[in-house]
Amino acid sequence: MTLQEMGRGKGLRDKGLTLTELVLTLAILAAIAALTLPNLTGWIRHYRVRRVVRELVCQMELAKIKALKTNRQYRIAFDPSSKTFRMERGNRPDAPGEWVQEGGIFRVPHQISLEANVEAIRFNPDGTALSGSVTIRAGDGEYYTVTANTSTGKINVARGK
């Protein structure tokens, strides 16, 4: 089979892209990226705020369960200045009123603020809680307020904008 028979009227050079076609394709892709980038940054910020709220609620639920299971107080302690929170265990017989960190420290990403009106939210062995509120806020005005009901220890999340 000859080259003419393979191409049937088209040369082998016609099967690739020209430089003009390649530049035009890249320009279209760049325009699409420029239009979607602002939406993408907003989505990423929203995802980060929701991740912090989920982690806080999970830690609070775990503290509540551990308090019921071990018959000791547990709390989630907040440090808004360093934008961190951590779980702590209490009720030590040898040092009442002292708290021992249990698990790691969760750091809030720098674009998100952590505001707490209490030092800690405490969960008691009887299922009650010493409550307060914690607000997780993004730079665009989106925020979530997390509280624990004092009589039932139920954790509530309210979203605001």
Side-chain angles (χ1 to χ4, degrees):
M1 185 179 289
T2 67
L3 289 177
Q4 288 175 342
E5 291 173 348
M6 287 175 57
R8 292 281 174 213
K10 289 189 168 190
L12 289 177
R13 289 185 224 152
D14 293 341
K15 294 189 183 228
L17 293 174
T18 65
L19 183 60
T20 306
E21 292 170 329
L22 184 61
V23 168
L24 184 59
T25 303
L26 290 176
I28 291 170
L29 289 174
I32 291 171
L35 292 173
T36 59
L37 190 59
N39 292 335
L40 185 62
T41 56
W43 179 82
I44 289 170
R45 184 174 33 252
H46 172 75
Y47 171 76
R48 287 181 178 155
V49 169
R50 299 237 348 161
R51 183 177 61 103
V52 171
V53 171
R54 264 194 312 274
E55 182 65 30
L56 176 59
V57 170
C58 286
Q59 290 296 309
M60 291 173 70
E61 289 285 355
L62 184 59
K64 179 182 168 184
I65 290 167
K66 285 186 171 200
L68 293 167
K69 184 178 176 185
T70 63
N71 202 30
R72 291 182 175 219
Q73 291 179 329
Y74 274 80
R75 72 180 189 174
I76 303 299
F78 306 101
D79 185 357
S81 64
S82 66
K83 294 177 22 172
T84 60
F85 58 87
R86 66 194 173 283
M87 184 187 311
E88 296 178 336
R89 180 184 68 240
N91 293 358
R92 290 180 45 206
D94 59 332
E98 289 210 13
W99 296 91
V100 176
Q101 181 178 326
E102 196 168 289
I105 295 174
F106 187 84
R107 297 188 192 292
V108 176
H110 67 86
Q111 309 92 339
I112 300 167
S113 69
L114 172 70
E115 304 160 11
N117 69 354
V118 291
E119 177 187 338
I121 295 179
R122 185 180 72 212
F123 295 92
N124 300 313
D126 63 358
T128 61
L130 179 63
S131 189
S133 68
V134 180
T135 302
I136 310 296
R137 190 179 304 275
D140 63 353
E142 178 184 20
Y143 68 92
Y144 293 83
T145 302
V146 182
T147 57
N149 184 297
T150 55
S151 59
T152 63
K154 183 176 187 277
I155 298 159
N156 300 306
V157 178
R159 181 175 187 239
K161 186 90 171 144

